[in-house]
Amino acid sequence: MEKAIIISRCSTNENRQDVYRQSEQLTSTYSSQYEIVKEFTYYKSGTKNDEVNAEILDYAIKHNVKHIIAIEISRISRKISSFALFLEKCNENKINIIIDNFKLHTLLPSGEINGMVQTMLSIASTFASLELSMIKERLNSGREKFIRDGGKLGRKEGSTKDNNQLLKEHADVVKFLKQGQSVRNTMKLTGKSNGTIQKIRKLVA
């Protein structure tokens, strides 16, 4: 079996996405076809993840990985230039990118560049970037309307909690994280949100 890497990425404010759901879906779909040797599962903006993508490429090259799998193109990057560079490096090293939602492969079985697919992905990366711009515009418009209607952004007065108080309130999360439990398992054990657990993890790291 040829080696493969799975990329599962979300921004911290993406309510409709979940890195673990992505990872489970991709593993279920591709583990019978490839040897999944590494999963890069993380929360970070798709416009600020160039460093992680560089780490992914470095790992793939060093370990002779032939396939990099993501559920959709925006999971790799939401910046057109960053995705283009990532694709170029993969081509240079004969690494096939698989975009699951469209079942697209950037390389042919022979290892040659799949020109049609790469053109499609270049267009798709443009839409991924435009989608992010539209999301930001909608959020900014919503904030502006909220303020015009008399709303105030930020925490209510007196609601700011210091870190010690936060750690006390979520002592169960602290306990499980210190035991080495993953964020996902801690969510299951405590019933608390990913955002809360990520916040506590930063404080106890």
Side-chain angles (χ1 to χ4, degrees):
M1 268 190 191
E2 292 185 333
K3 297 177 182 178
I5 286 172
I6 284 174
I7 298 176
S8 301
R9 182 200 64 78
C10 282
S11 297
T12 54
N13 63 348
E14 288 186 285
N15 295 323
R16 293 182 299 170
Q17 291 281 355
D18 178 80
V19 290
Y20 300 107
R21 178 190 60 77
Q22 292 175 41
S23 183
E24 286 178 354
Q25 180 177 329
L26 293 175
T27 299
S28 174
T29 302
Y30 294 97
S31 60
S32 62
Q33 303 172 51
Y34 308 108
E35 179 189 357
I36 310 297
V37 294
K38 182 78 171 176
E39 294 183 29
F40 286 85
T41 304
Y42 66 103
Y43 283 87
K44 198 173 187 69
S45 167
T47 63
K48 300 177 181 178
N49 64 330
D50 290 349
E51 187 175 330
V52 181
N53 281 340
E55 181 185 347
I56 291 168
L57 282 168
D58 184 61
Y59 182 94
I61 294 166
K62 285 182 177 177
H63 293 84
N64 195 33
V65 172
K66 296 298 183 183
H67 307 274
I68 293 176
I69 310 169
I71 205 159
E72 59 185 53
I73 194 170
S74 64
R75 301 306 100 193
I76 295 174
S77 181
R78 282 191 180 272
K79 290 199 307 185
I80 300 169
S81 58
S82 294
F83 178 77
L85 180 61
F86 189 88
L87 178 59
E88 181 182 350
K89 291 291 185 182
C90 285
N91 287 341
E92 289 174 359
N93 291 278
K94 300 293 184 182
I95 298 170
N96 177 41
I97 301 174
I98 301 172
I99 304 299
D100 177 68
N101 64 337
F102 294 128
K103 307 301 180 189
L104 298 178
H105 291 240
T106 58
L107 299 182
L108 298 168
S110 63
E112 297 301 308
I113 290 174
N114 189 332
M116 183 177 294
V117 164
Q118 298 211 9
T119 300
M120 291 171 65
L121 290 180
S122 295
I123 296 170
S125 70
T126 302
F127 280 110
S129 179
L130 288 172
E131 180 187 29
L132 182 62
S133 297
M134 290 171 64
I135 290 170
K136 287 180 178 178
E137 286 180 11
R138 287 199 300 268
L139 288 172
N140 289 336
S141 176
R143 289 192 190 100
E144 289 169 3
K145 183 179 185 305
F146 179 70
I147 292 170
R148 284 199 306 270
D149 292 343
K152 292 184 179 180
L153 299 175
R155 292 180 180 271
K156 295 179 180 179
E157 290 184 16
S159 67
T160 303
K161 299 174 182 176
D162 62 33
N163 292 343
N164 288 333
Q165 184 179 349
L166 199 61
L167 291 173
K168 285 179 183 178
E169 289 185 4
H170 300 287
D172 51 346
V173 174
V174 174
K175 179 182 72 173
F176 289 123
L177 290 176
K178 286 186 174 180
Q179 287 176 358
Q181 296 286 348
S182 66
V183 171
R184 183 183 178 190
N185 285 343
T186 304
M187 288 171 64
K188 289 180 179 178
L189 291 166
T190 63
K192 293 179 179 176
S193 72
N194 180 279
T196 296
I197 293 167
Q198 292 283 3
K199 187 183 297 183
I200 299 301
R201 187 172 69 166
K202 288 179 182 178
L203 294 178
V204 299

